[in-house]
Amino acid sequence: AQSVSQHNHHVILSEAASLELGCNYSYGGTVNLFWYVQYPGQHLQLLLKYFSGDPLVKGIKGFEAEFIKSKFSFNLRKPSVQWSDTAEYFCAVIPIAGNMLTFGGGTRLMVKP
Amino acid sequence: KAGVTQTPRYLIKTRGQQVTLSCSPISGHRSVSWYQQTPGQGLQFLFEYFSETQRNKGNFPGRFSGRQFSNSRSEMNVSTLELGDSALYLCASSLEGVENQPQHFGDGTRLSIL
């Protein structure tokens, strides 16, 4: 079975700082990868996804993620965070031949104005 | 287009009781998945239904069960409730299979066990 690790549980940044959230997974085969975000009081929303092709994927609100297959990583980045990016971020993977989406433990991001 | 609707939003039960949670997917979506979210364990997959068939099940005891109706609406049932079942239960739907479609999540049902 696959597993997902998000090593940063809590991140505090000032506005305009750059962001990188780590995500590593373990699985022997090909996977599809996702980043979801949960803003305070709101439901989980898809930020971006990687299925195939260019390993650098761009999502909503200026977020991007890079899939590095050799490192089993799918780190989330944003060049300049805003206060409104305060939220919890979840990385998730699913084998292309499977139907069980596995989430990482989440990273709580707080952006100070 | 309406999103994923979960009812009720909040529920308080006592140990030993049973509970049924409901999820209406986005119109046209055939796959419905259920997740349990707790501060300690994070988001854990419960099960996924597609065209009324359970396709996969997570590592939860048999007290957790579900079903899907012909209109794709799904229900989740938990019997003999335990204190540890207190959690936010999330439902998500996707057009086709979970493996190649991003999921759309509902707001969840917050279940508290006294």
Side-chain angles (χ1 to χ4, degrees):
Chain A
Q2 66 271 24
S3 65
V4 182
S5 296
Q6 290 180 245
H7 305 295
N8 313 103
H9 299 295
H10 292 89
V11 174
I12 302 174
L13 295 172
S14 298
E15 275 193 316
S18 65
L19 169 72
E20 180 159 4
L21 301 182
C23 171
N24 287 88
Y25 70 93
S26 67
Y27 183 72
T30 305
V31 296
N32 290 333
L33 301 121
F34 306 86
W35 274 97
Y36 284 88
V37 61
Q38 190 170 32
Y39 296 104
Q42 295 187 28
H43 58 259
L44 275 161
Q45 301 170 40
L46 181 70
L47 260 183
L48 48 79
K49 63 185 187 292
Y50 174 79
F51 287 168
S52 63
D54 189 343
L56 184 62
V57 292
K58 295 190 184 299
I60 61 171
K61 304 186 180 184
F63 286 90
E64 64 178 32
E66 184 176 12
F67 173 48
I68 303 179
K69 190 174 180 179
S70 60
K71 294 185 178 180
F72 298 90
S73 70
F74 190 55
N75 292 354
L76 181 71
R77 299 194 293 249
K78 185 170 184 179
S80 176
V81 296
Q82 301 172 312
W83 175 79
S84 58
D85 294 323
T86 294
E88 189 161 15
Y89 293 81
F90 294 91
C91 179
V93 304
I94 185 168
I96 61 168
N99 47 23
M100 189 169 96
L101 189 63
T102 301
F103 284 86
T107 298
R108 286 188 185 273
L109 171 66
M110 179 184 295
V111 180
K112 298 185 293 184
Chain B
K1 168 157 101 167
V4 177
T5 304
Q6 291 188 247
T7 56
R9 290 293 310 278
Y10 302 92
L11 207 48
I12 300 174
K13 292 285 188 179
T14 56
R15 281 182 297 175
Q17 287 186 308
Q18 74 164 18
V19 67
T20 299
L21 312 181
S22 179
C23 172
S24 293
I26 291 173
S27 178
H29 284 195
R30 296 162 62 191
S31 170
V32 174
S33 298
W34 288 89
Y35 298 86
Q36 182 195 65
Q37 187 177 20
T38 60
Q41 300 296 321
L43 274 156
Q44 292 186 288
F45 172 80
L46 279 157
F47 26 66
E48 187 229 359
Y49 286 88
F50 185 84
S51 294
E52 302 179 66
T53 301
Q54 186 183 87
R55 295 203 300 179
N56 209 348
K57 191 175 191 302
N59 190 25
F60 278 82
R63 300 185 296 106
F64 292 80
S65 63
R67 59 179 175 168
Q68 187 180 33
F69 302 95
S70 58
N71 62 357
S72 293
R73 190 177 70 86
S74 178
E75 288 182 346
M76 189 191 92
N77 185 274
V78 187
S79 62
T80 320
L81 287 164
E82 300 177 0
L83 290 177
D85 297 333
S86 293
L88 181 67
Y89 289 88
L90 295 172
C91 169
S93 74
S94 59
L95 193 59
E96 295 292 337
V98 171
E99 65 276 15
N100 56 12
Q101 295 282 337
Q103 293 186 291
H104 299 264
F105 284 82
D107 289 329
T109 293
R110 187 164 294 282
L111 175 63
S112 298
I113 311 301
L114 304 179

